Each structure stands twice: as structure tokens, then as C-alpha cells.
Amino acid sequence: LSTLTLIEHGNGAALPGSLSALAAAKQLGGPVTALIAGSEGSQVAQQIAKVDGVEKVLVAGNEVYNHSMPETTSALLVDVVKAGNFTHVVAPSSAFGRAVVPRAAALLDVQPVTDVIKIEGEDTFVRPIFAGNALSTVKSTDAIKVLTVRGTAFDAATEGSGSAAVEDAVDPKPAPQSEWVSEQIVKSERPDLGTADRVVSGGRGLKSKEQFEAVMYPFADAVGAAVGASRAAVDSGFADNSLQVGQTGKVVAPELYVAVGISGAIQHLAGMKDSKVIAAINKDADAPIFHVADVGLVADLFEAVPELTNKLK
Amino acid sequence: MSTKLRIMVPVKRVVDAAIRPRVNKAQTGIETQGVKYSINPFCDIAVEEALRLREGNKDLVESIHAVSVGGKKSQEVLRTALAKGVDTSTLVDVGEKEVETLSVAKVLAKLVEQQKSNFVLLGKQAIDSDANHTGQMLAGLLGWPQATNAAKIEISGDEVTVTREIDGGEEVVKAKLPMIVTTDLRLNEPRYASLPNIMKAKKKPLDTVTADSLGVDITPRVEILKVAEPPARGAGVTVETTDDFIAKIKEKGAL
């Protein structure tokens, strides 16, 4: 058994999901090799080489891998897997992992197992289906197991005193097939939604974009939380889509999740029900959100939330 | 140079999005008795986008062909697609068992070849298996460029520009036809089929083939050992005041 972990990085550092992927890779039991692609690869390699449990770091510094274009990155992944005779491939379940990994799996003639939340053995994994309404335990019979793992389900591997060897990866030098044009990342002073310890989310109960911002942003700052939103709030234009928590948005599992004016549709619960403590504020005592909440407050959010903000400041 | 689009739209029949699935007693899957099924919502968005590409661009689209890989009842979702305006369709009858995404991608690759499709529009994922594989796998098998999670699609000549939803924002990529694009939620609002069109759709072409006849082996690679309910959360408390609210959260160590 030997595992290759595909590292997602940006601005010269590995993203937190990659450190969770390394932790999952370590759980599999065999030696762990990390693969870093793109022209900042050597810089990221310095960081990853120090992570506990990483034996080797492979770098493909070719700029054709910048912006993680799926066509070239999957071609690289396939060649590195074959050259190193890896039995397992692990990548983060992010937009990046989702775009690249299934493509590479098809090229390896492997049925991938994605969104893994638990590793039960070297070939047996647990993954949510039906928006987390059921958990499926599956056993892969493919010679190579290709996995993506949920960051919220594995504690990030720590950067310790490791000193993995850094080597050049085999590089198939694929020709680019698609071109990266631009990106627009929503900037925020607040903690990142995907990795924050505390999240406060607003729903349709906030009534407008102006009220969403006036009520939720000061509350988030008082709690020290990232801001999230339900799909209903996003669809109504109250908040940007990048804030969406749910089956079709981000899956979060913070220490504290406060749902404000959110009814608790199945699709929203799928994105937050693994939070350690769930608190909910809603004026409708029958709202389904109260079925999953550890602490519920039946109140008008426009009175209760500013009050909470003042008391927590 | 401009290429006429021969669009393929794969569609899947799934448990309706409004229904809360229950795990069956045998823990082999979810309860399917008496449950309503519909076209997968992301597939519906793909059908809608294909129709809008035709309606919004004169002479751009030559044909729109829908495909479903499933049991006989998957004819229903093909009829839905035909009623909305898709031209022709194929059911790949694989029986009632769930077919893995790798097999679906292999089947679709054969049909793309047969249909001479040059643009495949499909949902980013099905809401039952939540896999989010098929488009990417098909793109890999065909060696075509891919753009997943599309929030906007523009086609000019044979160049396709796609705004993609990524973690924390959006990204714009472009590639040349032939290409695979998977659809995200914000791409469009699907239409409803009118009653006259539902009647007309009954006469539109719906061919049935088997995976065997396409030469694709659909033997599963991943065995489902168990399907279980997620662990239930303990009962919560309801409080009356914001002070109690803060106190209870602090008691649980989260503030």
C-alpha cells in the first residue's frame, strides 16, 4: 500500500483541505507521497515536506499546471500514479479535487469514491449520499483506490518537524486544452467559511440584502464568526453565492453554527448538520431547524440578533 | 469558423428533491416504494440551457439529443426532456440497478460517437448518489476539454466561454469545441412543459438500446456494504431569552 496525495494550493501555501487529505492518507497506513503541481510548486513543497507523516514530495513545476486546469492536472496525476505504482490516491473534496480526480480516475479505468468522511480500511470507505440523509459504506475492488475526502471529516495533518525528500515528478508535459481567463474571489475580512471555528448563517428571514448585511455582519464580528447563508437567501439576492451553506453550496462543520432566520430545508441541513453545536433563532417554533438545533431561541431575529450582538461584543 | 452544435444532454431519473429519503430496513439502500421520482434538478438545468442556446442563437444548434441510462421507467425523464423541446432521445436500458459513474461515462462516450455530438451539457451531479463524476469522466475518456459547475455559458464560433463556480467565488475559462460542460444551480431556471407539448412528446423519437449492444461492460467496481441513517443528534433545548441563549451555548463550550 502506498498513497499519493494531490495537494491544492494558492498564494504559495497549501490550502487547509490538502492538510486534511494528508491526514486521511496517513490513516490508510502506507507511506504518503505528496504531489504539487504548478510554478509555485517548489515553494509549497517546503511547507509540505515538514508535515508529519509525509515521506516524499513530488513537484511538477511546469506552468501548464497553473490554475489547476483539469485536463493537464489529471494527465499529470495519471502519469505520476503509474510511474510510482501507487495503490491509493487521495485529494481534497474541493472544487479543484472534484474537477480533476474523476477525470483522472476515468483515465486509470477506476471507479472513484468521492466525498469520503471515514476510512474503515484500505478498501472500505464511508460517504454520504442523498445530501447526507444516508451514509453509504462501500468497498472498492479496483486495483487503485481513487478518493476525495471531506476536509471537515479529517483533522488537518500538523506541520511538524518532518523532513520529506523533495523530488521532481515525472511530467507528461501535456498541451493545454482549456484556457484560464480570470477569477473573482469574494474577499472578506472575516474568517474563511470553509475552515472557520464559528459560523453564523442567515436565511430568508432576513428579508433583504440591506437587512442581511446590517444584522448578520455585526453579529458575525461580535461572535468572531464567518458569515454563511441559506440557498433561499442566496437565491433571493441577500448574499453572494460563495456564502451558501448546503448540499449545493459549502459543507461546514464548525464548533458553533448559528442559524438565523433559516427554516432548515433538507438541502441546508446537509451542509451544516455535522457542526459540533448548532444554535438557531427563528420566530416560527415549528421550523425544522429546531429539530437539529442544540439550542433554540424562538424570537423575532430583528430584535434578538442585535441584542445578542451587543451582549457578545 | 463556426461549428453547428450537436448537443447531447444526459438526464437521470432520481427520487424527487422535495422528498426526504429514508433508509430501507435491510440497510441496502433507500426506501423506493411509493416514492415520487423526477428528472434530476441539475439535469433539468442542462436541458434548459441546451434549449436556450438554440433559442438565443440563430443557426447555432443543429440538434439536441437526450440520453438516460437507467431502467424502463427512465423513459419518463426522457419524455420530460422531449416535451420541453429536445429533438430525439435514447434510453440505455440497464435494468433497475444503479450503474456506476464510470460505466455511465463509457456508455455516453459510445453514444457521443454514434450521434456525432460535439457538445455535451450535463448536470454537475445527481442528487441521489451525489457523485459529481460523470461529466469529468466522459471528458477524460473522450480527451475533450471540460468546464464543471457552469454559472454562465457563452458560445462564439467554436469557442466556449464558461463562468464556473469555485470555492469562494467564480472563475472564467474558455476552450474550443468539442467540449463537456456541467451545470450548476444558478445557470438558469428550468421551464415547465406545456400540456400540448407533453402530448406531442409522445410521438418524438425514443430509442432503446442496451449497454451490451454498445459493447460496454457495466460490472460494478465498488460494492455497497451498508447504507445507514446518519447518527441522530441529541434533543436540544429551547430558551426564551437572549441571555439564556448565550448561557446555554457557553455551557456547551462553543462560546
Side-chain angles (χ1 to χ4, degrees), chain A residues 142 269 305:
Chain A
D142 278 313
L269 301 183
V305 177

Side-chain angles (χ1 to χ4, degrees), chain A residues 8 67 69-71 93-96 98-100 102-107 109-115 124 127-142 177-187 198 219 223 231 234-235 240-242 244 247-250 255-256 258 266 269 272-281 290-299 303-305 307-308 311-312, chain B residues 14-15 17-23 29-30 42 99-103 105-106 124-149 159 161 164-176 179-180 184-186 189 220-231 233-246 248-250 252-255:
Chain A
E8 179 179 17
H67 300 298
M69 301 311 279
E71 300 86 0
S93 253
S94 57
F96 160 78
R98 290 191 176 116
V100 171
R103 184 175 179 116
L107 296 170
D109 195 32
V110 167
Q111 172 65 34
V113 180
T114 50
D115 267 333
T124 306
R127 64 180 302 270
I129 54 174
F130 290 93
N133 280 301
L135 301 179
S136 181
T137 305
V138 299
K139 181 178 169 180
S140 166
T141 61
D142 278 313
Q177 283 185 286
S178 59
E179 186 191 332
W180 184 86
V181 180
S182 63
E183 72 180 3
Q184 199 182 1
I185 299 296
V186 180
K187 292 231 166 50
R198 294 168 183 174
F219 182 46
V223 179
R231 181 173 140 192
V234 169
D235 284 351
D240 188 82
N241 188 56
S242 62
Q244 192 192 131
Q247 181 188 15
T248 52
K250 279 204 174 60
E255 295 291 322
L256 173 64
V258 187
I266 296 167
L269 301 183
M272 45 63 82
K273 67 183 173 47
D274 293 326
S275 305
K276 300 269 183 334
V277 175
I278 297 174
I281 304 165
F290 289 121
H291 297 307
V292 299
D294 302 297
V295 185
L297 175 62
V298 181
E303 285 168 23
V305 177
E307 214 176 292
L308 286 167
K311 286 176 180 165
L312 290 168
Chain B
V14 297
V15 170
I19 288 169
R20 193 200 160 114
R22 304 272 172 204
V23 171
I30 62 133
F42 294 105
V99 177
E100 289 175 355
T101 49
L102 178 62
S103 301
K106 287 177 178 174
K124 69 166 179 179
Q125 71 190 65
I127 61 164
D128 48 6
S129 58
D130 282 334
N132 193 336
H133 300 162
T134 305
Q136 298 89 303
M137 296 180 101
L138 177 61
L141 294 176
L142 293 169
W144 291 5
Q146 70 180 57
T148 48
N149 299 54
E159 194 167 75
T161 304
R164 301 182 57 222
E165 297 196 2
I166 57 170
D167 299 332
E170 289 178 349
E171 169 184 89
V172 180
V173 296
K174 62 180 179 185
K176 288 204 157 63
M179 188 181 186
I180 310 279
D184 215 323
L185 203 66
R186 289 190 305 159
E189 284 272 351
R221 311 287 191 84
V222 172
E223 193 187 334
I224 297 172
L225 301 181
K226 187 175 93 175
V227 174
E229 298 270 356
R233 295 185 75 96
V237 292
T238 306
V239 297
E240 304 281 322
T241 67
T242 52
D243 281 330
D244 287 347
F245 189 70
I246 293 170
K248 281 289 173 195
I249 294 171
K250 282 193 172 156
K252 293 181 184 295
L255 260 181

Side-chain angles (χ1 to χ4, degrees), chain A residues 4-299:
Chain A
L4 181 70
T5 306
L6 181 61
I7 303 295
E8 179 179 17
H9 53 90
N11 298 319
L15 298 191
S18 298
L19 297 174
S20 298
L22 285 170
K26 204 175 152 188
Q27 270 188 31
L28 286 164
V32 176
T33 301
L35 171 62
I36 307 170
S39 48
E40 64 175 26
S42 314
Q43 192 187 341
V44 180
Q46 299 306 314
Q47 176 196 357
I48 295 299
K50 295 196 188 91
V51 173
D52 286 332
V54 177
E55 197 154 287
K56 195 196 286 184
V57 181
L58 298 173
V59 177
N62 191 336
E63 64 181 26
V64 77
Y65 304 120
N66 290 1
H67 300 298
S68 311
M69 301 311 279
E71 300 86 0
T72 50
T73 309
S74 59
L76 170 71
L77 183 58
V78 166
D79 274 29
V80 172
V81 169
K82 286 181 178 164
N85 290 315
F86 290 100
T87 59
H88 289 68
V89 178
V90 178
S93 253
S94 57
F96 160 78
R98 290 191 176 116
V100 171
V101 168
R103 184 175 179 116
L107 296 170
L108 290 165
D109 195 32
V110 167
Q111 172 65 34
V113 180
T114 50
D115 267 333
V116 169
I117 57 166
K118 195 171 169 213
I119 292 169
E120 296 213 325
E122 61 180 75
D123 57 4
T124 306
F125 316 104
V126 181
R127 64 180 302 270
I129 54 174
F130 290 93
N133 280 301
L135 301 179
S136 181
T137 305
V138 299
K139 181 178 169 180
S140 166
T141 61
D142 278 313
I144 305 172
K145 326 296 183 206
V146 177
L147 319 173
T148 70
V149 298
R150 281 226 181 138
T152 52
F154 297 90
D155 288 333
T158 47
E159 287 173 53
S161 49
S163 56
V166 179
E167 293 173 17
D168 284 338
V170 291
D171 185 351
K173 300 193 170 68
Q177 283 185 286
S178 59
E179 186 191 332
W180 184 86
V181 180
S182 63
E183 72 180 3
Q184 199 182 1
I185 299 296
V186 180
K187 292 231 166 50
S188 166
E189 311 277 296
R190 298 187 184 84
D192 174 65
L193 179 58
T195 52
D197 283 339
R198 294 168 183 174
V199 173
V200 298
S201 276
R204 191 155 29 200
L206 271 306
K207 293 203 169 103
S208 71
K209 184 175 194 290
E210 291 67 32
Q211 293 181 96
F212 188 98
E213 289 171 4
V215 172
M216 295 304 294
Y217 289 5
F219 182 46
D221 293 338
V223 179
V227 175
S230 71
R231 181 173 140 192
V234 169
D235 284 351
S236 307
F238 301 174
D240 188 82
N241 188 56
S242 62
L243 301 186
Q244 192 192 131
V245 172
Q247 181 188 15
T248 52
K250 279 204 174 60
V251 176
V252 300
E255 295 291 322
L256 173 64
Y257 187 89
V258 187
V260 177
I262 291 177
S263 65
I266 296 167
Q267 95 86 30
H268 184 75
L269 301 183
M272 45 63 82
K273 67 183 173 47
D274 293 326
S275 305
K276 300 269 183 334
V277 175
I278 297 174
I281 304 165
N282 203 304
K283 67 178 176 192
D284 175 9
D286 296 327
I289 192 75
F290 289 121
H291 297 307
V292 299
D294 302 297
V295 185
L297 175 62
V298 181

